[in-house]
């Protein structure tokens, strides 16, 4: 095994907090979903007005979405948190995640980073959605998303060998003969903040040195515009931009 260039350790206190909040959100969402579903059945059986029924349906949908998102967060964090104390290792061969096989540099299409701290802070200050945004962050949403795109996402899924972490590799349509795959890493959800930002800098620097396109963004829309053409040939852009690095 190649000598590590950089290693990021798991922050166990963060992991414990994220686990409790995420489990709490799942339990509350399921309980509320059952309660609202019972109310919906009663509303339909009682012949209540359509407005009441629509509100109940929206409530059930919201509980379902909240549960699904919490489960997806938990699976995403499995890529960084296992029995070992090391969440992420960068070597000359590539990037090794705690719960994933080695991702070689030559297999990467890009390394992209979305620094969402400013928008998240603004969301938390809003009167209605603020508490929900705060709860989502405590449950592991994180504000520092790093995504690694690979040329053959299906091959990476097979390399997991049946591990549940394979579910977090999102596949896209055929691109140069293979389906590209995207791996999300919510670094600051389970790694101490300064270490998470150092990990991002190392990933960007090492990928750039090897000719892998990199981009760091603070705008969600700007980030999607940057990465879209590299994962989807049908992405609606007027002109393909240089993907060797953006800010």
């Amino acid at each position: 095994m190649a000598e590590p260039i950089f290693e990021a350790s798991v922050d166990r206190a963060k992991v414990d907090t994220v686990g409790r909040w995420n489990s709490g959100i799942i339990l509350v969402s399921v309980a509320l979903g059952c309660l609202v579903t019972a109310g919906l059945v009663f509303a339909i059986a009682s012949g209540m007005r359509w407005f009441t029924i629509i509100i109940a349906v929206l409530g059930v949908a919201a509980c379902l979405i909240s549960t699904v998102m919490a489960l997806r967060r938990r699976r995403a964090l499995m890529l960084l948190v296992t029995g070992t104390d090391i969440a992420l290792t960068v070597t000359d061969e590539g990037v090794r995640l705690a719960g994933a096989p080695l991702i070689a540099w030559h297999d990467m299409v890009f390394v992209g980073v979305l620094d969402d701290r400013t928008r998240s802070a603004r969301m938390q200050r809003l009167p209605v959605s603020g508490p929900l945004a705060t709860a989502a962050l405590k449950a592991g949403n994180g504000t520092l998303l790093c995504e690694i795109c690979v040329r053959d996402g299906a091959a990476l899924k097979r390399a997991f060998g049946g591990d549940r972490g394979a579910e977090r590799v999102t596949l896209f349509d055929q691109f140069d003969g293979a389906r590209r795959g995207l791996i999300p890493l919510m670094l600051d959800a389970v790694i101490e903040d300064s270490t998470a930002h150092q990990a991002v800098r190392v990933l960007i620097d090492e990928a750039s040195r090897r000719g892998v396109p990199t981009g760091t963004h603070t705008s969600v829309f700007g980030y999607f515009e940057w990465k879209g053409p590299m994962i989807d040939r049908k992405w609606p852009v007027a002109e393909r931009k240089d993907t060797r690095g953006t800010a």
Side-chain angles (χ1 to χ4, degrees):
M1 182 181 296
E3 287 294 317
I5 297 171
F6 174 82
E7 290 182 330
S9 299
V10 173
D11 185 330
R12 291 295 173 183
K14 273 193 172 185
V15 171
D16 291 343
T17 299
V18 164
R20 288 194 298 271
W21 274 87
N22 210 44
S23 296
I25 287 176
I26 292 173
L27 289 173
V28 170
S29 297
V30 171
L32 284 176
C34 292
L35 184 63
V36 176
T37 299
L40 174 61
V41 172
F42 175 78
I44 294 174
S46 303
M48 289 187 178
R49 293 186 174 183
W50 62 267
F51 180 78
T52 302
I53 294 175
I54 289 176
I55 293 297
V57 169
L58 291 175
V60 172
C63 291
L64 178 60
I65 291 171
S66 176
T67 302
V68 171
M69 290 181 65
L71 291 172
R72 287 177 62 84
R73 272 196 303 268
R74 177 174 288 177
R75 290 169 185 166
L77 297 178
M78 287 170 57
L79 295 174
L80 296 170
V81 181
T82 59
T84 180
D85 287 332
I86 304 300
L88 175 147
T89 303
V90 180
T91 71
D92 281 329
E93 295 178 346
V95 177
R96 186 176 296 279
L97 311 175
L102 174 72
I103 306 170
W105 295 113
H106 60 77
D107 290 332
M108 296 183 193
V109 176
F110 68 77
V111 176
V113 176
L114 175 62
D115 187 339
D116 201 34
R117 286 175 293 178
T118 301
R119 189 189 69 87
S120 295
R122 188 166 59 248
M123 288 291 294
Q124 291 182 80
R125 291 194 294 267
L126 296 176
V128 177
S129 61
L132 296 177
T134 299
L137 287 174
K138 290 183 177 180
N141 258 17
T143 60
L144 188 64
L145 170 67
C146 178
E147 292 184 314
I148 299 175
C149 180
V150 297
R151 303 184 190 285
D152 193 339
L156 180 60
K157 274 182 172 284
R158 291 193 297 271
F160 274 84
D163 193 290
R164 291 177 62 191
E167 299 174 13
R168 296 304 296 133
V169 181
T170 301
L171 296 181
F172 293 84
D173 292 337
Q174 287 281 334
F175 201 121
D176 296 335
R179 299 183 67 183
R180 293 191 168 176
L182 200 61
I183 308 150
L185 307 177
M186 294 182 290
L187 296 175
D188 63 330
V190 295
I191 300 174
E192 192 270 329
D193 286 356
S194 62
T195 304
H197 285 275
Q198 184 182 2
V200 163
R201 290 194 297 271
V202 172
L203 281 169
I204 291 294
D205 290 345
E206 294 298 322
S208 297
R209 285 203 309 114
R210 293 166 175 81
V212 178
T214 62
T216 302
H217 298 259
T218 56
S219 164
V220 175
F221 296 110
Y223 180 53
F224 272 81
E225 286 181 3
W226 174 79
K227 73 176 183 178
M230 291 185 279
I231 56 178
D232 185 357
R233 283 199 176 278
K234 299 187 293 293
W235 191 267
V237 291
E239 180 181 354
R240 294 197 178 244
K241 298 179 181 179
D242 181 8
T243 58
R244 288 174 295 181
T246 61

